[in-house]
Every structure is written in C-alpha cells, then in structure tokens.
Amino acid sequence: MLNCISLTPPPVGRDKVLRTLQYFSRFLAWYLYRTNRPQSSISPFEATKKQFGATRKLLRVGKFVEHFRAAAVASDAKSMDPVLRFCTVGRQLGYAAYMLLDNACVLDATGIRKFGAAPRMLREGYRAWFTGLSFSIASGIYAYYGLSLRAKAIASSSEPEKVVEKKKVEKELNAVKVQLLSDLCDITIPSSALGWVELDDGIVGLAGTTSSLLGVWGQWKKTA
C-alpha cells in the first residue's frame, strides 16, 4: 500500500542522486568542450556541477560527527578481525577529517564568505579522503581474499547444510566487489585534485558517475 511506502528519498540516497548529476555534468561539460561545442552549450552543465557540488557541501554539514562515532565504535569492536578493525578505524577517521575540513570550507564554497585558507584546507581534505579510501580498498582486498578462501572450502564440501552458507558468502563477495569498484573509481578524484595523477575531467567525471550510480543502486536495494 502507498501509505506504507516512504516517497521521500533518504539523506544518503539524496546525496547519491545529487552526486551522480554533479559528476555526470562534469563529464558532459568536458565532452562538449572537447567536441568544440559553443560555450552556451557547456555553461549549463558547468553551472549544474558547481551548484550541485555546493548543495552537497551544505547537506554534509556535521556529517564528520557520524564518522568519528563510527571510528570509536569500530575501535571497541574486539570481536572484529584485527585487520578489518584497523582498516575500518582508519577509513572512518580519514572520512571524518575530510568532512571536517570540507565543512570548514562551506562558507567559501558557497560564496557567503571568502577566506584565504580555504584552498589549503580543501587540499588537506583531499589528502584525508585519499587516506580513507586507501584504508577502504585495503579492507576490501583483505575481505575479498578471506571470503574467496571460505567459498572454496564450502565448494569442496558435500554437506547439504553448506548451501545456505554458500549463498551468504556469495552475497558478501558481491557486496565487497561492488564496494571495491566504487572505491577505485572514487580514489581518482582526490588523486587528480592533488595532482598525483594526470586525469582529465572526462575520466574523473565518469569515475564519479560510476561510483555514484553504484551508491544509488545500493541504497535502492536496501529500501526495496
């Protein structure tokens, strides 16, 4: 029944949709520029990229608290695999630092109040994001390896009760692969912004669009 279904997208899902539009606009602006289209055709997509980016910054105000809390919870999870716990804490702290610095630049990014330290803070924020993504990728590779070993052990067993466990492991493997792909796409953004790799807006835009669509798909599966 309709009255049992929430028609308002959750905050995370809303951010993923805005992020998809932001990065796809970035790709389209690059593509139109490379194909020698007039500036009048490019400007709407450049404006969309800028405005949606600023909107997302406003929506993320205070989000660093959630990441600091997640890092604290993970550090207390003594039952978790030590490697995964270490990577989770590192990831959450990296994201928290990124969000904190990103929040500090909101007034400058929205044009409300410009200040000279904003570019340096934004650069440090990208470093923190890169660090968080690196921990996430390391965690994904480690988890994938462990799950692959479990899948092989289950496949070699002829016990009927292993069927349920096999399906569970396969589901976890798929989730890990999707997250790894998303992280590998996302890490191109801070890497490019910091000048560590030379990537044009087309590649970064497509990478950001891909990871955003994976996020939208993940949120859809959770609410379906």
Side-chain angles (χ1 to χ4, degrees):
M1 297 176 63
L2 285 176
N3 58 358
C4 295
I5 301 173
S6 174
L7 300 180
T8 303
V12 176
R14 188 186 303 118
D15 179 71
K16 296 297 183 184
V17 172
L18 290 174
R19 191 177 192 268
T20 301
L21 296 173
Q22 176 191 354
Y23 280 98
F24 191 59
S25 295
R26 181 172 179 174
F27 166 75
L28 285 177
W30 169 86
Y31 175 77
L32 292 172
Y33 173 78
R34 290 295 299 268
T35 53
N36 297 316
R37 299 298 177 87
Q39 186 61 39
S40 59
S41 298
I42 301 172
S43 295
F45 297 106
E46 290 182 334
T48 300
K49 175 187 70 174
K50 182 178 179 180
Q51 294 301 323
F52 282 7
T55 300
R56 291 183 59 238
K57 280 183 180 293
L58 289 170
L59 291 174
R60 291 198 300 262
V61 171
K63 191 172 175 59
F64 65 90
V65 176
E66 297 176 20
H67 290 291
F68 277 125
R69 184 176 182 278
V73 171
S75 67
D76 290 335
K78 306 303 180 184
S79 60
M80 187 186 294
D81 181 289
V83 175
L84 292 178
R85 185 171 74 244
F86 176 75
C87 288
T88 300
V89 172
R91 180 178 75 248
Q92 295 296 341
L93 288 177
Y95 291 166
Y98 167 63
M99 289 294 175
L100 182 60
L101 291 164
D102 182 74
N103 287 178
C105 297
V106 164
L107 294 180
D108 180 87
T110 55
I112 296 174
R113 183 180 179 82
K114 293 290 184 179
F115 58 99
R120 182 174 59 82
M121 294 175 69
L122 187 60
R123 186 173 180 82
E124 292 305 314
Y126 278 125
R127 289 180 187 274
W129 187 14
F130 180 90
T131 301
L133 286 169
S134 298
F135 275 111
S136 187
I137 291 170
S139 174
I141 294 172
Y142 179 81
Y144 183 82
Y145 177 73
L147 288 168
S148 297
L149 292 180
R150 279 179 61 193
K152 288 180 181 179
I154 293 170
S156 63
S157 175
S158 58
E159 299 177 22
E161 59 269 20
K162 292 292 184 179
V163 175
V164 176
E165 186 179 355
K166 180 182 179 181
K167 290 182 178 179
K168 181 183 177 183
V169 171
E170 287 176 349
K171 185 177 180 180
E172 290 177 358
L173 268 173
N174 287 331
V176 168
K177 285 190 285 188
V178 169
Q179 186 59 52
L180 259 177
L181 176 59
S182 179
D183 289 338
L184 289 171
C185 288
D186 276 343
I187 207 166
T188 63
I189 302 168
S191 300
S192 175
L194 291 166
W196 295 345
V197 292
E198 292 186 7
L199 299 174
D200 56 39
D201 273 5
I203 294 176
V204 175
L206 280 179
T209 302
T210 300
S211 65
S212 300
L213 287 173
L214 289 172
V216 171
W217 179 60
Q219 288 299 311
W220 177 265
K221 286 181 66 178
K222 288 180 183 179
T223 57

